[in-house]
Amino acid sequence: MAADRAHEHPGEQAHPRPIRLIAIRRTSLSLDEVFQAVGDEAAGGIALFVGTVRNHDAGADVDALGYSCHPTAEAEMRRIAEKVVANHPVRALAAVHRVGELAVGDTAVVVAVACPHRQDAFQACGELIDDLKHEVPIWKHQRFSDGTEEWVGA
């Protein structure tokens, strides 16, 4: 009986307004800000993903890169967030992406999802970052050590 009552608790359900932070920024990103944005007393699991600039891609050394975006990018991030909260029992969600020139080691994107249970949080966070990467019009301009460069993005 106790297990049946647990599923009746309002904390087991998605929050009515779970999208807490969606932003594209030119300044450094804060993991603390994103983590605090998804704080929720009913959440038993928070999954947080941090994307950083690595020093290589496809076998080539990366010296630097820049991110740029279409003016609709933030609205597209929100659309994806809404899709994620429709598919999972999300208590809170946050996503921020940086644009501008970044150095190797810089934080490029931070997403976090809080759910009543850890597996839901992992799944929702994975869907959020995967869809953000594939669907939001943000482009990466990589500059390689050998003098070549390439554009990558949704």
Side-chain angles (χ1 to χ4, degrees):
M1 288 289 185
D4 292 335
R5 283 193 304 256
H7 292 292
E8 296 172 8
H9 192 280
E12 292 290 323
Q13 306 303 315
H15 191 279
R17 288 182 304 283
I19 300 172
R20 309 279 173 84
L21 173 63
I22 299 289
I24 294 178
R25 301 211 173 122
R26 291 201 159 275
T27 57
S28 296
L29 305 183
S30 166
L31 276 61
D32 287 340
E33 177 192 24
V34 174
F35 183 72
Q36 289 174 7
V38 298
D40 187 288
E41 291 181 352
I46 296 174
L48 183 125
F49 173 81
V50 180
T52 58
V53 177
R54 64 179 178 260
N55 67 357
H56 67 280
D57 189 38
D61 291 333
V62 172
D63 285 343
L65 61 78
Y67 282 99
S68 60
C69 68
H70 190 272
T72 62
E74 198 168 291
E76 284 299 301
M77 285 175 67
R78 181 165 297 279
R79 180 189 63 78
I80 288 166
E82 289 169 353
K83 184 173 71 168
V84 170
V85 301
N87 293 336
H88 303 278
V90 175
R91 298 293 306 171
L93 178 149
V96 292
H97 202 295
R98 190 164 169 200
V99 294
E101 295 300 311
L102 281 75
V104 170
D106 283 349
T107 300
V109 61
V110 182
V111 300
V113 179
C115 292
H117 302 282
R118 71 178 176 274
Q119 193 59 43
D120 292 325
F122 284 135
Q123 290 174 347
C125 190
E127 182 178 317
L128 178 61
I129 190 60
D130 287 349
D131 289 355
L132 187 153
K133 186 172 174 90
H134 292 105
E135 297 179 32
V136 175
I138 295 175
W139 305 284
K140 178 170 56 174
H141 182 212
Q142 298 188 113
R143 292 177 295 285
F144 299 101
S145 296
D146 65 4
T148 61
E149 55 187 53
E150 77 173 344
W151 284 92
V152 182

